[in-house]
Amino acid sequence: MAVKAVNDSAGPNSIVPTLLVFGAYPRLTEMDPPSPSITKRAEAIRTATKEVRRLHAERQVKDALAIRNGPNTKITLDLPLQSDVRVWREKEGWKGPYKLIAIDRETYTVDMPRGPTKFRSTVVKPYLTEHPN
């Protein structure tokens, strides 16, 4: 039942059990008391739905905290001008080395092949090289 609850579809106000959507879950009326098996299934669905909502809320809190506590840019802020840096490119990932030519608060100007380009501090990292011993 827990797997079934996870596979339920989301409605505009809350989670809607799939069985209700497709009519496989019998509708309960005041005149027809439900059978014990239907009552047990309904309770299992309620319990599973409650657990899924709790887990979803827990995940939302974790995601919100991760966004608020974004990447640490202190290392990049301390870089001197003309340092080699890497830049995050949406389709290619981290690319570099490029030269850092200006810093204005959280905006970095990087000398790219097609000319100087401005980037947010979260997409610029130092380009680390290994020194031979």
Side-chain angles (χ1 to χ4, degrees):
M1 289 310 256
V3 173
K4 186 243 163 286
V6 171
N7 290 331
D8 285 345
S9 59
N13 298 325
S14 65
I15 297 175
V16 179
T18 309
L19 293 175
L20 286 175
V21 172
F22 294 108
Y25 193 72
R27 293 185 182 167
L28 304 176
T29 63
E30 301 262 339
M31 301 172 81
D32 240 358
S35 68
S37 66
I38 292 174
T39 306
K40 286 180 184 176
R41 284 190 296 172
E43 187 57 38
I45 289 173
R46 274 190 224 104
T47 304
T49 302
K50 185 178 178 182
E51 180 68 13
V52 168
R53 285 183 180 149
R54 184 187 66 76
L55 291 171
H56 182 68
E58 203 174 281
R59 178 62 185 256
Q60 283 180 319
V61 168
K62 284 182 184 177
D63 288 347
L65 288 173
I67 289 171
R68 184 168 182 223
N69 301 326
N72 185 4
T73 59
K74 174 86 170 98
I75 297 168
T76 312
L77 281 171
D78 295 338
L79 285 175
L81 296 180
Q82 296 301 315
S83 295
D84 287 333
V85 294
R86 295 186 300 162
V87 178
W88 176 259
R89 306 306 288 175
E90 194 68 34
K91 294 180 182 174
E92 295 122 25
W94 291 103
K95 294 293 179 182
Y98 303 112
K99 292 290 184 189
L100 178 65
I101 56 176
I103 299 175
D104 181 26
R105 295 185 193 157
E106 293 292 319
T107 304
Y108 296 97
T109 305
V110 177
D111 190 18
M112 301 292 284
R114 293 187 179 179
T117 309
K118 295 182 179 184
F119 294 97
R120 285 292 289 168
S121 62
T122 55
V123 297
V124 177
K125 284 185 178 181
Y127 186 85
L128 304 176
T129 58
E130 292 185 29
H131 296 288
N133 292 346

